[in-house]
Amino acid sequence: AQSLVKDGGAHSLAPSPDGSRLAWVSGDHDFALGSGQLGNVAPSSIRVVKLAGGEPVKVTDGLSLAMSPMWRDDSHLIFVSNSGGIRDLVEVTLNRQGRPRGPPHRLTTGLNAHSVRLSADGSQLTVTVLGQVSNVWQVELPASGFASARAADPVTTGDQAVDDLDV
């Protein structure tokens, strides 16, 4: 048996409908698999290799998030990308060697997508959306005993994600 994917960061494998190629994500497995950092937006890339052998082709530039590849047909890959800001679905057309014929084009706007799949008959996309909301609260620390959550006051409100804070 020959190893076609020699990528320690490979995940989210997607064989093409005709079985001739394999697409996968290289990097940022935490976004997809959630081992502590579900939904982070670290850079990753989509790669494709011919199952008959050959060198893998980098389909995306690796400068932004690229996740959840799935084939619409044997020459079109749909995936989640944040290259335009928020996570949306994009599609790229590939030539016979698996190289992009041009840049990916956006299929959705403002979706905040996490993953995508195509129905068996190819007529519908199923998309999971990941929304993360967090807020900051403050509470006085008593000289002894425990601080009560009921005594906490909100510092922020609304829909945002707080990555880090300093007091």
Side-chain angles (χ1 to χ4, degrees):
Q2 178 186 1
S3 176
L4 296 173
V5 178
K6 299 173 184 168
D7 181 344
H11 62 89
S12 305
L13 306 174
S16 62
D18 68 0
S20 68
R21 293 185 274 186
L22 181 69
W24 74 92
V25 175
S26 179
D28 194 12
H29 69 280
D30 285 339
F31 178 86
L33 307 175
S35 52
Q37 297 182 31
L38 176 68
N40 77 79
V41 292
S44 53
S45 63
I46 305 286
R47 298 175 190 221
V48 172
V49 69
K50 289 182 180 181
L51 291 177
E55 289 298 312
V57 174
K58 204 171 177 184
V59 174
T60 62
D61 60 18
L63 299 176
S64 57
L65 178 84
M67 287 286 163
S68 192
M70 53 135 270
W71 297 87
R72 180 167 60 94
D73 56 34
D74 293 323
S75 62
H76 294 87
L77 262 179
I78 296 173
F79 56 95
V80 174
S81 173
N82 71 348
S83 62
I86 196 164
R87 296 183 312 268
D88 275 304
L89 301 183
V90 297
E91 182 177 48
V92 65
T93 303
L94 304 176
N95 65 20
R96 291 179 186 239
Q97 291 72 39
R99 298 194 188 291
R101 289 189 177 164
H105 66 276
R106 184 182 297 266
L107 298 175
T108 62
T109 301
L111 191 59
N112 222 5
H114 180 267
S115 59
V116 60
R117 288 293 169 256
L118 186 66
S119 63
D121 68 2
S123 66
Q124 295 183 356
L125 290 175
T126 302
V127 180
T128 59
V129 173
L130 176 65
Q132 296 174 309
V133 175
S134 56
N135 281 290
V136 176
W137 292 68
Q138 69 181 11
V139 64
E140 294 291 327
L141 288 176
S144 64
F146 298 94
S148 170
R150 289 187 179 122
D153 295 313
V155 175
T156 64
T157 60
D159 296 337
Q160 69 269 324
V162 178
D163 294 327
D164 194 10
L165 64 113
D166 193 3
V167 192

